[in-house]
């Protein structure tokens, strides 16, 4: 059964750390951020850093849909019905899910939106919902990486399915070839992590997202990131962007 957690089981040090974290987060300025970038651009590496440093919640459309369906919320039921019929979940449902999530305490300081919007129509619906709440998108971070580097990053990627830990054959190989460093279990390569599939995904990505980037550029919200650089350099560039504002 649910209820109030038994804090007597939590170490005092952990409780004090959490209290300190919440106090610091309460002083952070609100930020609402969209991440745009092709497969292998580094969003997955940078999102946890941004989340921790700026006390933001991370909203991925797939995760939100799965959670809503599992919880059988009104929007979750609508989404399930659409998926059961083999159709796409409507933009209205996805924007509604975003609205529900940004109302939670976890998102009080702002959010990182990953995987949405993908079209100008979705961007307009998102802006409309935020405007109704007196909010707006503050930053759109566009992760720019040359296609040839993306090809190298994605085709060399190895994954531990149970944990989601990722490795790379060249840049961050496991200690033992083909084995997870923690469990020793086999690593896999995703079926779509191949050159042919990636070329198709990149072409579709460019066609789909270029108008979205142009839409937010007109609003002065876009920061172009040199995402081909080392992760530490990209993180520093993001810190500057979120502090100074958009620079298209």
């Amino acid at each position: 059964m649910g209820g109030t957690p038994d804090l007597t089981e939590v170490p005092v040090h952990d409780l004090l750390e959490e209290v300190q974290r919440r106090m610091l987060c309460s002083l952070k300025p609100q930020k609402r951020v969209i991440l745009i970038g092709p497969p292998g651009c580094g969003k997955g590496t940078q999102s946890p850093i941004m989340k921790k440093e700026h006390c933001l919640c991370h909203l991925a459309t797939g995760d939100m849909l799965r959670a809503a369906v599992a919880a059988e919320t009104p929007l979750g039921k609508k989404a399930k019905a659409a998926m059961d019929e083999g159709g796409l979940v409507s933009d209205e449902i996805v924007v509604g899910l975003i609205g529900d999530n940004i109302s939670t305490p976890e998102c009080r300081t702002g959010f990182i939106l990953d995987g949405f919007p993908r079209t100008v129509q979705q961007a307009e619906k998102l802006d409309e919902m935020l405007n109704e709440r007196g909010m707006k998108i503050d930053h759109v971070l566009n992760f720019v990486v040359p296609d040839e580097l993306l090809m190298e990053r994605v085709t060399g990627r190895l994954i531990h399915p149970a944990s989601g830990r990722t490795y790379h054959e060249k840049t961050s190989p496991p200690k033992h070839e083909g084995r997870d460093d923690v469990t020793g279990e086999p690593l896999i390569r995703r079926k779509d992590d191949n050159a042919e599939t990636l070329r198709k995904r990149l072409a579709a990505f460019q066609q789909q997202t270029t108008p979205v980037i142009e839409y937010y550029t007109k609003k002065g919200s876009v920061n172009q990131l040199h995402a081909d650089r080392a992760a530490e350099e990209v993180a520093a560039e993001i810190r500057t962007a979120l502090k100074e504002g958009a620079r298209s």
Side-chain angles (χ1 to χ4, degrees), residues 3 15 64 89 94 105 124 144 157 163 198 222 225 237:
L15 285 173
M64 288 188 292
V89 177
V94 176
E124 291 172 342
V144 181
R157 186 162 53 189
S163 67
L198 182 59
V222 177
L225 301 179
E237 193 173 2

Side-chain angles (χ1 to χ4, degrees), residues 180-193:
D180 177 50
D181 288 351
V182 178
T183 65
E185 295 171 347
L187 300 175
I188 67 165
R189 195 188 305 273
R190 289 176 180 159
K191 289 182 179 179
D192 57 355
D193 282 354

Side-chain angles (χ1 to χ4, degrees), residues 97-158:
L97 289 174
I98 294 169
D100 287 349
N101 278 269
I102 65 176
S103 301
T104 62
E106 183 186 5
C107 297
R108 65 166 65 90
T109 314
F111 58 82
I112 302 165
L113 193 53
D114 190 355
F116 191 93
R118 294 178 183 271
T119 67
V120 171
Q121 184 179 17
Q122 291 174 348
E124 291 172 342
K125 290 181 185 297
L126 175 64
D127 280 352
E128 183 180 347
M129 181 272 289
L130 292 174
N131 289 338
E132 290 173 356
R133 297 165 182 254
M135 301 177 181
K136 68 179 181 66
I137 294 298
D138 301 304
H139 303 276
V140 176
L141 303 182
N142 184 27
F143 287 66
V144 181
V145 185
D147 286 358
E148 58 270 21
L149 180 56
L150 288 173
M151 196 72 66
E152 181 180 313
R153 284 182 178 180
V154 172
T155 56
R157 186 162 53 189
L158 299 169

Side-chain angles (χ1 to χ4, degrees), residues 2 5 9 23 36 50 52 94 122 128 134 141 166 170 181 201 213 227 234:
E9 300 295 325
M23 289 178 65
I36 296 179
M50 296 168 57
K52 181 178 180 180
V94 176
Q122 291 174 348
E128 183 180 347
L141 303 182
T166 59
K170 292 184 178 179
D181 288 351
R201 292 175 69 188
I213 294 169
V234 179

Side-chain angles (χ1 to χ4, degrees), residues 3-244:
T4 305
D6 183 4
L7 297 181
T8 60
E9 300 295 325
V10 182
V12 174
H13 177 266
D14 292 349
L15 285 173
L16 291 175
E17 273 198 346
E18 178 60 19
V19 170
Q20 183 180 35
R21 186 190 71 82
R22 294 193 183 196
M23 289 178 65
L24 290 172
C25 285
S26 69
L27 302 175
K28 297 277 187 180
Q30 292 190 355
K31 290 181 173 66
R32 301 169 189 92
V33 184
I34 290 174
L35 305 185
I36 296 179
C41 69
K43 290 187 300 178
T45 299
Q46 299 299 331
S47 292
I49 300 173
M50 296 168 57
K51 178 179 178 179
K52 181 178 180 180
E53 291 184 354
H54 299 280
C55 300
L56 307 175
C57 64
H58 179 260
L59 303 178
T61 50
D63 293 341
M64 288 188 292
L65 279 169
R66 285 187 288 272
V69 170
E72 297 185 340
T73 66
L75 285 174
K77 291 178 179 177
K78 290 182 179 179
K80 186 176 186 302
M83 290 186 287
D84 286 347
E85 293 175 0
L88 296 174
V89 177
S90 70
D91 293 344
E92 287 76 15
I93 291 176
V94 176
V95 171
L97 289 174
I98 294 169
D100 287 349
N101 278 269
I102 65 176
S103 301
T104 62
E106 183 186 5
C107 297
R108 65 166 65 90
T109 314
F111 58 82
I112 302 165
L113 193 53
D114 190 355
F116 191 93
R118 294 178 183 271
T119 67
V120 171
Q121 184 179 17
Q122 291 174 348
E124 291 172 342
K125 290 181 185 297
L126 175 64
D127 280 352
E128 183 180 347
M129 181 272 289
L130 292 174
N131 289 338
E132 290 173 356
R133 297 165 182 254
M135 301 177 181
K136 68 179 181 66
I137 294 298
D138 301 304
H139 303 276
V140 176
L141 303 182
N142 184 27
F143 287 66
V144 181
V145 185
D147 286 358
E148 58 270 21
L149 180 56
L150 288 173
M151 196 72 66
E152 181 180 313
R153 284 182 178 180
V154 172
T155 56
R157 186 162 53 189
L158 299 169
I159 298 170
H160 179 239
S163 67
R165 279 185 289 274
T166 59
Y167 302 85
H168 192 277
E169 291 173 334
K170 292 184 178 179
T171 58
S172 55
K175 295 175 183 176
H176 301 285
E177 186 176 352
R179 296 283 172 176
D180 177 50
D181 288 351
V182 178
T183 65
E185 295 171 347
L187 300 175
I188 67 165
R189 195 188 305 273
R190 289 176 180 159
K191 289 182 179 179
D192 57 355
D193 282 354
N194 63 76
E196 183 181 352
T197 301
L198 182 59
R199 287 191 190 95
K200 293 178 181 177
R201 292 175 69 188
L202 289 175
F205 170 81
Q206 295 295 345
Q207 183 178 8
Q208 194 174 49
T209 59
T210 296
V212 177
I213 294 169
E214 291 174 351
Y215 172 83
Y216 282 112
T217 296
K218 292 176 182 177
K219 292 177 174 288
S221 307
V222 177
N223 289 94
Q224 308 285 2
L225 301 179
H226 300 89
D228 54 339
R229 296 175 178 173
E232 296 81 6
E233 294 181 59
V234 179
E237 193 173 2
I238 290 173
R239 291 187 193 102
T240 301
L242 296 187
K243 184 177 180 180
E244 295 181 351

